[in-house]
């Protein structure tokens, strides 16, 4: 009888090992997620800022090498450390935060190198316009958070946007750059 139970247990273990992993849902941790941007100020110093209010989810399946991201930013939460500049960025010249209170990135194309995500491709909607965006991972990892006792995945992702594609044209005729570097530091907690 012990042999039968041992064989049954071995068969169950083997079957579980070959079953495909299921996609897990992760909630973006706003205290470990930062969306920042930078662009040169007329060839001198670098202007930098970030969005302080963001939320989103990630569905991620390492075994199937698939995923989906939804990240929403409150455009009115932009912060550069300089109140007059923040006000200008919220205005119709840039983000038009009153008319378009959110920007949203939705992606469902993940590229991998082994278990590591290397790119996430999707669509960014900003000021009512949607264009494709590819975020390249400069770092990616999953780990068990020792305080939460849950898996956390995340990394650093970046791209360069041509802001005029979203109708953000202010200053282009004065020599302000069209290209803006976007850096997303993200961690998401398995639910």
């Amino acid at each position: 009888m012990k042999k039968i139970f041992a064989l049954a247990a071995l068969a169950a273990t083997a079957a579980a090992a070959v079953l495909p992993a299921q996609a897990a849902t992760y909630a973006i941790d706003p205290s470990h997620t930062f969306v920042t941007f930078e662009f040169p100020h007329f060839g001198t110093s670098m202007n930098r800022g970030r969005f302080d209010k963001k939320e989103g989810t990630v569905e991620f399946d390492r075994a199937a090498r698939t995923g989906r991201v939804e990240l929403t930013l409150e455009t009115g939460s932009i912060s550069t450390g300089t109140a007059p500049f923040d006000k200008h960025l919220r205005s119709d010249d840039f983000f038009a935060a009153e008319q378009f209170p959110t920007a949203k990135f939705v992606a469902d194309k993940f590229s991998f190198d082994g278990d590591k995500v290397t790119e996430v491709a999707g669509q960014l909607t900003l000021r009512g316009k949607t264009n494709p965006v590819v975020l390249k991972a400069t770092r990616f990892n999953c780990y068990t958070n020792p305080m939460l006792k849950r898996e956390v995945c995340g990394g650093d992702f970046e791209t360069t946007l041509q802001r005029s594609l979203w109708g953000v044209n202010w200053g282009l005729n004065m020599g302000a750059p069209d290209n803006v570097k976007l850096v997303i530091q993200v961690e998401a907690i398995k639910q």
Side-chain angles (χ1 to χ4, degrees), residues 60-106:
F60 183 54
D61 187 336
R62 270 181 289 211
R65 291 183 168 31
T66 60
R68 178 174 171 76
V69 173
E70 286 195 22
L71 175 64
T72 302
L73 309 172
E74 283 189 28
T75 56
S77 74
I78 199 162
S79 175
T80 63
T82 305
F85 189 32
D86 294 348
K87 183 178 178 182
H88 191 203
L89 290 173
R90 289 183 192 111
S91 77
D92 290 345
D93 288 342
F94 288 96
F95 289 99
E98 281 191 29
Q99 185 178 0
F100 303 103
T102 61
K104 189 168 190 172
F105 178 66
V106 178

Side-chain angles (χ1 to χ4, degrees), residues 2-191:
K2 285 185 181 181
K3 284 186 181 182
I4 293 173
F5 283 124
L7 286 174
L10 183 59
T13 302
V18 298
L19 289 175
Q22 298 212 357
T25 299
Y26 298 75
I28 290 175
D29 177 0
S31 65
H32 288 94
T33 298
F34 300 94
V35 179
T36 61
F37 60 88
E38 61 183 45
F39 57 92
H41 186 245
F42 296 101
T44 56
S45 61
M46 192 67 73
N47 280 328
R48 291 185 173 90
R50 71 180 191 195
F51 296 92
D52 287 336
K53 294 182 181 175
K54 60 272 175 193
E55 64 181 20
T57 58
V58 179
E59 292 175 18
F60 183 54
D61 187 336
R62 270 181 289 211
R65 291 183 168 31
T66 60
R68 178 174 171 76
V69 173
E70 286 195 22
L71 175 64
T72 302
L73 309 172
E74 283 189 28
T75 56
S77 74
I78 199 162
S79 175
T80 63
T82 305
F85 189 32
D86 294 348
K87 183 178 178 182
H88 191 203
L89 290 173
R90 289 183 192 111
S91 77
D92 290 345
D93 288 342
F94 288 96
F95 289 99
E98 281 191 29
Q99 185 178 0
F100 303 103
T102 61
K104 189 168 190 172
F105 178 66
V106 178
D108 61 3
K109 293 181 180 83
F110 282 39
S111 298
F112 286 79
D113 181 8
D115 280 350
K116 304 286 184 181
V117 175
T118 58
E119 282 186 358
V120 176
Q123 303 286 319
L124 174 64
T125 301
L126 175 67
R127 290 181 55 113
K129 296 183 180 183
T130 302
N131 290 293
V133 169
V134 177
L135 299 174
K136 296 198 180 288
T138 59
R139 179 185 334 270
F140 181 83
N141 189 42
C142 293
Y143 71 101
T144 301
N145 184 295
M147 292 178 284
L148 300 174
K149 308 291 189 227
R150 288 193 279 172
E151 183 179 48
V152 173
C153 292
D156 294 328
F157 296 82
E158 60 185 53
T159 193
T160 299
L161 303 176
Q162 187 180 346
R163 64 186 174 101
S164 59
L165 292 175
W166 286 271
V168 184
N169 300 313
W170 189 90
L172 294 177
N173 61 346
M174 293 183 277
D178 196 9
N179 290 340
V180 176
K181 183 177 180 181
L182 183 68
V183 178
I184 301 174
Q185 168 195 335
V186 62
E187 289 192 21
I189 304 164
K190 188 173 183 178
Q191 300 301 291

